[in-house]
Amino acid sequence: MSAEAQRPPFWRDVRVLGWFFQLAVFAIVVAIVGILVNNVRVNSANQGIPTGFSFLDQPSSFEIPGNDFRQSQPVRDALVEGVFNTLRVVVAGLVLATLLGVTLGVGRLSGNFLIRTITRVYVETIRNIPLLGLLIFFYIGLVLTAFPRVEDSWIVGSLLVANVRGVTIPWITGSTIAFLVVVAIAAGLAWAVNRWRLQVNERSGEPARGGLWAIPVLVLVGFWGAFFVGNGITTPELDGRSLEGGMTMQPEYFALLLALVIYTSSHIAEIVRGSIQAVPKGQVEAASALALSSWHRLRHVVLPQALRIAVPPIGNQYLNLMKNSSLGFVISYFEITKVTQTTVGNRSPAVPAFLLLIVIYLVLSLIISAGVNVVNRRLQVVER
Amino acid sequence: MSRSERVTDWLKANLFRSTADSIVSVVVGAIALFVLFRIVRFVFVTGRWEIVETNLSLYVTGAWPDAEMWRLVATVLLAAFVSGLIAGFIARSREIEAGVEAVSLSPRARIIELVVRLWPLLLGLALVLALTRTVMPVLLVVSAAVAVVLGRMLGRLLPRRSPPWLAALAVVTLLGVVWLMANGVGLESWGGMLLNIFLAAFSITLCFPLGVMLALGRRSKYPVVRLLSVGYIELFRGAPLIALLLMVDVAIGFFLPQSIVPSSPVRAIIVFILFTAAYMAEVVRGGLQSVPGGQVEAAKALGLSPISTTFRIVLPQALRNVIPAIVGQSISLFKDTTLAGAAMGLADLLNSAQASTAQEQFRGQGLIVESLVFVLFLFWVGAYTMSRESQRLERRLGVGNR
Amino acid sequence: MSDEMMTGSVMSDATQVGGDGEVMIEVSAMDKFFGDFQALKNIDVKVGRREVVVVIGPSGSGKSTLIRCINRLEEHDAGRIIVDGTELSDDVRNIQEIRRETGMVFQQFNLFPHLTVMENITLAPRLVRKLPAAEAEAKAMQLLERVRIPEQADKYPGQLSGGQQQRVAIARSLAMQPKVMLFDEPTSALDPEMINEVLEVMMDLAREGMTMIVVTHEMGFAREVADRVVFMADGQIVEVGTPEHFFTNPQEPRTREFLSQIL
């Protein structure tokens, strides 16, 4: 008797059947894609439209408002400009939506009835309205209809000036790169000081108070460093009909940013609330039983666990915000979708242009996912 | 404890716990009161709602001709009856499974319960009815309510083995209703909230088979199938819906033979189905993961075929666990149908609101705020009602307790 | 059965058959790997028709893996498994054949929670054996009476106690009229007061002449019901013998060590 079983006939062999099944699925998918690709080839050839990416080098023959982009520059440059505009709104949106969302989420759990109720009304209203509706409301209803002429601008001290030309806020002057470098150095020093305080705490048991030490370091080093490399602050000043200083956001940019931040923050707030509530009650009780103060309970017991629950869904919201920035096309904010649509309207071939657009979004998605994953992994490690 | 004592205690515990808390309460309260005052004043005093009154039928049913209105009436009644039927059946099955008898409420308690549960929907209906000038809509709403109740009573009497039949009935009803309506008025001429609801309901139903297939594919033991499913899901989840809509709108003529290029609403539906299927797949995958591995092993050990195992054992449990998530997906899709209006120029609710401000008697008066507020309110009613119902369902199904 | 076995002498290997002497299950030179970890090493075992074999051993010794290989819940990597003359190979027909003829009872019951007790029992006969509904239900009622819970037919698994669930699980397996029953620690997830009701049902089965392989920690059951006891450790069969031999005069040091820990 041989030690191995005989192979069954191939039409009853699980392995053969498995491969056959996979091959069949693969063939069907290839066939569908092949038919589509072939149709594109045939239809493009019939209409004399190129299918390659040579259109990238053609002159764009359109202008991008609020920018010195010229019609003679190639489509490639227009797309780069579009990606840049997308990033501008996405990065600002991510930061602001996170700040607002976390604040609102914590507010949902406040002991104060008014705060609890107001944040709840906000969240449950905004979450259930289409983002596009919010965007059109802010753009047509607010910016285009309600914003005053320049001479009648709405002014909030030196902090904010709003009129039909846009919204102006204080900004830094001098080299942005130098400023970022200074901020990075300051943050690094603050981090080091925090580490040092933790070590002191470990050695001597003296309270670490990392934040108490690190934040002044961050502020002082950042402030003086920026001063040293020649950064300053410019505030918007209205003088009759002319507005000087500050940084002006175009109306379209402002409306899109506002809509994205308001909408996304309502979703983040729900995630934050849910994550904090998802930490089992027993955890807080155990911490209280160890006589931890309410701050220590929050800082060392509740938040680390809530954060771990919250990070993946918040990452999803970041992806949504990035993708939702494509709504800018509706109000003619020249982010990448609007640029692509415009260039297709200007005789660029539609299929390659839109495929490129989708690839760009996939790359941006991957970048955000990678960032979220790094944070996620760190949290998991810290947890163990 | 006296009433006033209880009030004081509540205030102390919820508004004036400490000095800082009291200051916050006073400041925030003042601001909130001011905002509330402005809103109330806008709604009842300064808002010029003639534009909404005039265009109410445009918002709700688009340019639907009066002569064909019976088709809509029939649709509403049929949909109401079938959803009542399903709701009644589900309620009864739950009682049987839990081994409890129906709680009989007094009519008054029953009404209070319904008002508390459905207040956004009732508010929306009341507002729309208050703005109409004929009695027909009121009659329609009342008869729809009767249809729901009748359906619910009948649904409780259905035999317990009905779910496949009910699902089939729901799909057949949807298709039949679409046929009934499209036969009278071409899909291209649909508009208003009707179009948004139709796009969402139709796409979520049709994306379901594809979504389930992709979810099963993603968990398949065959690497090729898994890879293709993951590829599809990530591709469609990584790209914005609006880019896909724009692309299909412009480029569908290239992907299909010239002879079968579909009209705009159909293009929108195609995109919604392909797009939502990727998200549905992730929802269903969550459900599949919630089914313990022992279930599949037990089915295998009994000699059930892989297909029987999937359809009789795994999917029924998986889908039951994700019903709330599917409702959530429907809410997203309902809101996203507005994008078809923006990308393909369909006369959906949001576009109708903008279009109405361009009418001769309303042009250039800044009435966009009034029309948008009303239209967004309608969206809110739809989405919030669904979201509340899904939360209720989640609690009642005890998802996570099983 | 030979006299030698009855008197409790040592059996050096597990390939001698008890029961009525006809071989029902034959496992030879079987290996099983999980990645690099070898879960089963060169397993040789035969089970006779109407024989009850109890497999014992420390956790992680490969007992469960062994019986899970016999109905292809795990795929063995080398060697042969033959059940009632059908070889377990990559042949789909053989796999289905063996699964039809082999019932399995799990530690966690694995009843289908969305189906009533009756539906749990009738599902496989109707789908696999193509029985008409009425016949399947009549048969299911008989089985429920046999496991002594006919009154629970219309309840859902979630409404039953653990012991009742496990008895339904046994009835569900029996409904396929299997030639062999595999038990994978059927009482380990039960509260102590429910263990006996399940063991009694299993003893009935053994008395009625079912071929059974039972993985269990219930030494009382092994002593009373088993024709042979197989002791496994580290993926190998260490010692095989009649219960008397096993519990009075074990030969291998590993066996003695294990028995001294649990008895």
Side-chain angles (χ1 to χ4, degrees):
Chain A
M1 189 167 65
S2 80
E4 291 302 320
Q6 283 179 347
R7 301 239 33 105
F10 68 88
W11 64 89
R12 291 202 323 244
D13 188 326
V14 262
R15 282 171 220 280
V16 176
L17 289 176
W19 281 109
F20 180 76
F21 174 64
Q22 300 193 62
L23 208 67
V25 171
F26 189 68
I28 292 172
V29 172
V30 166
I32 292 173
V33 173
I35 289 173
L36 291 179
V37 168
N38 189 48
N39 281 342
V40 170
R41 277 225 324 268
V42 170
N43 285 330
S44 300
N46 286 346
Q47 298 173 35
I49 296 171
T51 49
F53 288 90
S54 55
F55 73 93
L56 290 174
D57 300 320
Q58 304 290 320
S60 59
S61 59
F62 61 88
E63 282 173 1
I64 296 179
N67 196 294
D68 50 12
F69 181 79
R70 293 179 313 280
Q71 295 198 8
S72 56
Q73 282 178 268
V75 171
R76 188 189 302 278
D77 290 6
L79 292 175
V80 170
E81 204 60 50
V83 171
F84 178 70
N85 279 340
T86 295
L87 289 178
R88 262 197 330 148
V89 80
V90 168
V91 171
L94 289 184
V95 174
L96 295 177
T98 309
L99 292 177
L100 185 57
V102 171
T103 313
L104 288 168
V106 173
R108 286 278 266 127
L109 299 168
S110 161
N112 187 305
F113 171 77
L114 270 176
I115 307 265
R116 218 159 54 213
T117 312
I118 291 170
T119 47
R120 177 167 176 203
V121 169
Y122 173 93
V123 168
E124 304 217 326
T125 308
I126 303 295
R127 265 164 60 85
N128 291 300
I129 289 178
L131 172 59
L132 182 60
L134 280 181
L135 178 62
I136 291 179
F137 185 83
F138 288 136
Y139 185 62
I140 303 183
L142 180 70
V143 175
L144 291 192
T145 312
F147 272 22
R149 286 173 303 173
V150 178
E151 54 266 42
D152 306 325
S153 292
W154 295 339
I155 301 174
V156 185
S158 301
L159 292 177
L160 190 139
V161 175
N163 54 48
V164 282
R165 293 218 199 118
V167 175
T168 310
I169 54 168
W171 202 243
I172 52 159
T173 57
S175 160
T176 315
I177 294 172
F179 179 73
L180 289 178
V181 169
V182 165
V183 169
I185 292 172
L189 278 175
W191 179 78
V193 166
N194 188 33
R195 277 292 289 259
W196 167 68
R197 285 307 302 171
L198 287 176
Q199 278 166 8
V200 167
N201 165 261
E202 240 166 65
R203 269 201 309 274
S204 65
E206 182 188 334
R209 303 224 165 90
L212 228 54
W213 285 75
I215 291 170
V217 169
L218 180 71
V219 172
L220 287 176
V221 174
F223 187 80
W224 286 108
F227 180 77
F228 185 71
V229 298
N231 287 125
I233 291 179
T234 159
T235 53
E237 302 297 340
L238 187 69
D239 181 18
R241 287 171 141 243
S242 71
L243 176 66
E244 272 161 27
M247 200 252 327
T248 302
M249 302 183 258
Q250 299 153 255
E252 291 78 21
Y253 177 86
F254 174 74
L256 181 60
L257 182 63
L258 188 62
L260 287 176
V261 167
I262 299 265
Y263 185 77
T264 310
S265 66
S266 74
H267 284 85
I268 292 181
E270 270 310 86
I271 294 169
V272 169
R273 177 185 69 98
S275 307
I276 294 177
Q277 283 180 333
V279 177
K281 260 214 188 83
Q283 293 288 316
V284 179
E285 285 166 5
S288 307
L290 292 170
L292 294 189
S293 70
S294 64
W295 163 246
H296 281 145
R297 281 203 303 263
L298 195 66
R299 166 73 184 75
H300 294 288
V301 178
V302 178
L303 280 187
Q305 300 187 50
L307 210 57
R308 226 190 69 183
I309 304 171
V311 164
I314 287 184
N316 265 338
Q317 289 306 320
Y318 285 179
L319 287 174
N320 284 343
L321 187 143
M322 190 275 293
K323 289 184 280 176
N324 285 335
S325 71
S326 60
L327 287 183
F329 112 94
V330 179
I331 58 170
S332 288
Y333 173 66
F334 272 75
E335 44 71 59
I336 183 66
T337 304
K338 177 69 187 170
V339 171
T340 304
Q341 193 216 15
T342 311
T343 186
V344 168
N346 275 310
R347 310 183 60 97
S348 286
V351 176
F354 275 110
L355 287 182
L356 186 62
L357 173 68
I358 285 168
V359 169
I360 290 173
Y361 276 113
L362 288 180
V363 169
L364 292 178
S365 292
L366 280 179
I367 294 172
I368 293 183
S369 299
V372 172
N373 279 342
V374 168
V375 174
N376 211 6
R377 208 165 314 133
R378 260 200 80 87
L379 285 177
Q380 308 287 3
V381 171
V382 167
E383 176 71 9
R384 278 182 201 135
Chain B
M1 216 176 359
S2 78
R3 196 187 170 82
S4 67
E5 266 177 290
R6 262 180 306 175
V7 171
T8 336
D9 279 358
W10 186 89
L11 286 176
K12 265 189 198 151
N14 288 289
L15 288 174
F16 306 105
R17 286 170 307 169
S18 62
T19 322
D21 201 40
S22 308
I23 295 171
V24 168
S25 294
V26 170
V27 173
V28 173
I31 297 174
L33 272 181
F34 177 70
V35 172
L36 198 65
F37 166 73
R38 292 296 295 254
I39 292 175
V40 169
R41 198 177 64 144
F42 171 70
V43 170
F44 291 103
V45 185
T46 59
R48 291 166 293 167
W49 300 104
E50 308 89 56
I51 186 169
V52 173
E53 251 176 280
T54 315
N55 288 297
L56 194 63
S57 70
L58 179 73
Y59 293 162
V60 177
T61 58
W64 198 271
D66 283 345
E68 304 290 341
M69 208 47 94
W70 63 270
R71 293 176 191 272
L72 276 185
V73 172
T75 297
V76 170
L77 294 182
L78 198 60
F81 179 74
V82 171
S83 33
L85 205 65
I86 293 172
F89 174 78
I90 292 176
R92 183 72 195 134
S93 321
R94 245 194 84 252
E95 285 161 18
I96 295 173
E97 277 184 48
V100 293
E101 270 318 297
V103 238
S104 56
L105 290 170
S106 67
R108 211 187 121 193
R110 177 116 232 162
I111 287 173
I112 291 177
E113 190 218 337
L114 273 178
V115 169
V116 169
R117 176 178 153 197
L118 293 174
W119 69 265
L121 182 65
L122 296 175
L123 181 66
L125 280 175
L127 192 70
V128 170
L129 291 182
L131 287 167
T132 56
R133 273 163 289 188
T134 57
V135 75
M136 280 304 289
V138 182
L139 272 179
L140 178 62
V141 169
V142 171
S143 18
V146 172
V148 171
V149 172
L150 268 179
R152 205 164 179 283
M153 278 155 58
L154 261 174
R156 299 180 66 86
L157 305 175
L158 287 178
R160 248 206 24 83
R161 288 181 197 278
S162 309
W165 293 105
L166 277 178
L169 178 69
V171 173
V172 167
T173 310
L174 183 74
L175 296 178
V177 154
V178 170
W179 176 82
L180 176 74
M181 300 210 300
N183 226 16
V185 180
L187 206 53
E188 300 75 36
S189 331
W190 293 22
M193 194 176 198
L194 170 72
L195 181 63
N196 293 91
I197 293 175
F198 161 74
L199 286 177
F202 199 66
S203 309
I204 204 88
T205 314
L206 293 195
C207 88
F208 200 71
L210 182 57
V212 170
M213 222 169 74
L214 286 167
L216 292 171
R218 189 161 191 172
R219 283 171 57 86
S220 164
K221 63 179 171 186
Y222 299 118
V224 172
V225 178
R226 214 161 46 221
L227 222 69
L228 288 172
S229 307
V230 170
Y232 180 97
I233 293 169
E234 294 308 325
L235 177 70
F236 276 89
R237 273 160 43 95
L241 179 54
I242 200 109
L244 294 172
L245 283 164
L246 282 173
M247 166 158 157
V248 167
D249 195 39
V250 183
I252 196 164
F254 292 100
F255 286 113
L256 297 178
Q258 291 295 329
S259 49
I260 55 165
V261 173
S263 63
S264 289
V266 179
R267 291 177 202 185
I269 289 171
I270 292 174
V271 178
F272 284 140
I273 290 174
L274 296 179
F275 179 80
T276 311
Y279 286 82
M280 187 62 84
E282 288 299 272
V283 166
V284 174
R285 181 165 74 119
L288 293 176
Q289 276 167 345
S290 72
V291 178
Q295 292 289 311
V296 176
E297 290 186 350
K300 275 188 188 169
L302 285 170
L304 296 192
S305 68
I307 292 179
S308 293
T309 306
T310 303
F311 285 92
R312 300 286 188 133
I313 306 300
V314 178
L315 276 181
Q317 298 181 53
L319 293 184
R320 179 201 174 102
N321 286 348
V322 294
I323 291 174
I326 292 175
V327 178
Q329 206 53 58
S330 313
I331 298 172
S332 293
L333 184 58
F334 176 58
K335 292 192 290 175
D336 281 345
T337 52
T338 52
L339 300 185
M344 296 185 168
L346 300 182
D348 81 316
L349 180 52
L350 199 54
N351 268 355
S352 305
Q354 288 175 267
S356 63
T357 60
Q359 289 161 349
E360 208 165 328
Q361 72 263 42
F362 300 119
R363 196 183 299 154
Q365 299 174 37
L367 291 176
I368 185 77
V369 176
E370 277 84 354
S371 64
L372 267 182
V373 164
F374 180 73
V375 154
L376 294 187
F377 171 74
L378 290 186
F379 274 112
W380 177 84
V381 166
Y384 193 45
T385 304
M386 280 195 274
S387 130
R388 287 168 66 95
E389 287 299 295
S390 100
Q391 281 166 13
R392 180 166 171 273
L393 211 59
E394 200 164 346
R395 281 195 303 273
R396 305 191 90 189
L397 287 177
V399 176
N401 300 339
R402 274 170 182 271
Chain C
M1 252 179 266
S2 68
D3 286 346
E4 217 179 30
M5 282 161 65
M6 295 302 284
T7 53
S9 67
V10 190
M11 292 196 300
S12 55
D13 68 272
T15 53
Q16 283 170 283
V17 190
D20 53 17
E22 200 182 325
V23 178
M24 189 70 173
I25 298 176
E26 182 181 346
V27 177
S28 51
M30 194 249 280
D31 289 335
K32 168 72 192 163
F33 291 86
F34 290 113
D36 286 337
F37 172 70
Q38 185 163 12
L40 294 174
K41 291 169 201 158
N42 197 25
I43 301 288
D44 285 300
V45 73
K46 281 182 187 162
V47 178
R49 193 181 296 278
R50 305 172 72 83
E51 187 181 13
V52 176
V53 171
V54 170
V55 185
I56 60 174
S59 58
S61 59
K63 315 173 297 246
S64 291
T65 310
L66 171 61
I67 63 170
R68 287 163 61 86
C69 281
I70 291 174
N71 70 350
R72 247 303 154 107
L73 289 182
E74 307 285 356
E75 208 173 310
H76 61 286
D77 295 303
R80 305 182 68 170
I81 299 174
I82 298 169
V83 179
D84 197 23
T86 309
E87 164 129 32
L88 192 57
S89 63
D90 283 340
D91 190 334
V92 263
R93 201 169 66 180
N94 291 8
I95 296 173
Q96 276 309 97
E97 175 84 27
I98 289 176
R99 281 187 181 154
R100 266 204 301 271
E101 304 302 341
T102 323
M104 183 152 188
V105 176
F106 299 86
Q107 183 178 357
Q108 298 296 342
F109 329 137
N110 292 346
L111 291 178
F112 305 131
H114 60 302
L115 302 178
T116 61
V117 165
M118 180 57 83
E119 289 163 340
N120 262 284
I121 299 175
T122 54
L123 184 73
R126 293 190 58 192
L127 288 179
V128 182
R129 296 241 188 254
K130 314 279 182 214
L131 283 192
E135 197 179 321
E137 276 168 26
K139 180 90 186 113
M141 266 333 272
Q142 282 174 18
L143 287 168
L144 281 174
E145 267 155 36
R146 205 158 135 196
V147 300
R148 298 164 205 159
I149 36 173
E151 71 284 359
Q152 311 287 5
D154 292 323
K155 290 204 178 152
Y156 283 85
Q159 296 166 270
L160 304 183
S161 73
Q164 290 172 327
Q165 290 194 43
Q166 194 60 299
R167 284 187 277 158
V168 173
I170 294 173
R172 179 175 72 173
S173 291
L174 292 176
M176 286 295 286
Q177 296 177 309
K179 295 180 179 149
V180 180
M181 286 288 283
L182 307 172
F183 291 84
D184 188 2
E185 306 201 21
T187 55
S188 298
L190 294 176
D191 291 336
E193 73 271 20
M194 293 172 183
I195 289 176
N196 274 334
E197 60 190 57
V198 172
L199 290 182
E200 274 163 28
V201 170
M202 289 167 63
M203 286 177 192
D204 288 350
L205 260 184
R207 270 195 290 277
E208 288 159 23
M210 175 64 75
T211 311
M212 293 161 64
I213 304 184
V214 184
V215 172
T216 186
H217 294 294
E218 294 297 325
M219 292 304 146
F221 178 83
R223 203 187 289 251
E224 200 171 322
V225 185
D227 295 312
R228 279 187 297 158
V229 176
V230 173
F231 173 69
M232 289 182 70
D234 300 326
Q236 282 170 310
I237 294 179
V238 176
E239 189 166 1
V240 183
T242 58
E244 295 106 273
H245 153 73
F246 220 86
F247 293 108
T248 52
N249 187 24
Q251 298 294 302
E252 299 288 329
R254 290 248 19 202
T255 317
R256 287 194 204 140
E257 190 195 355
F258 176 73
L259 289 172
S260 71
Q261 277 164 357
I262 59 163
L263 289 177

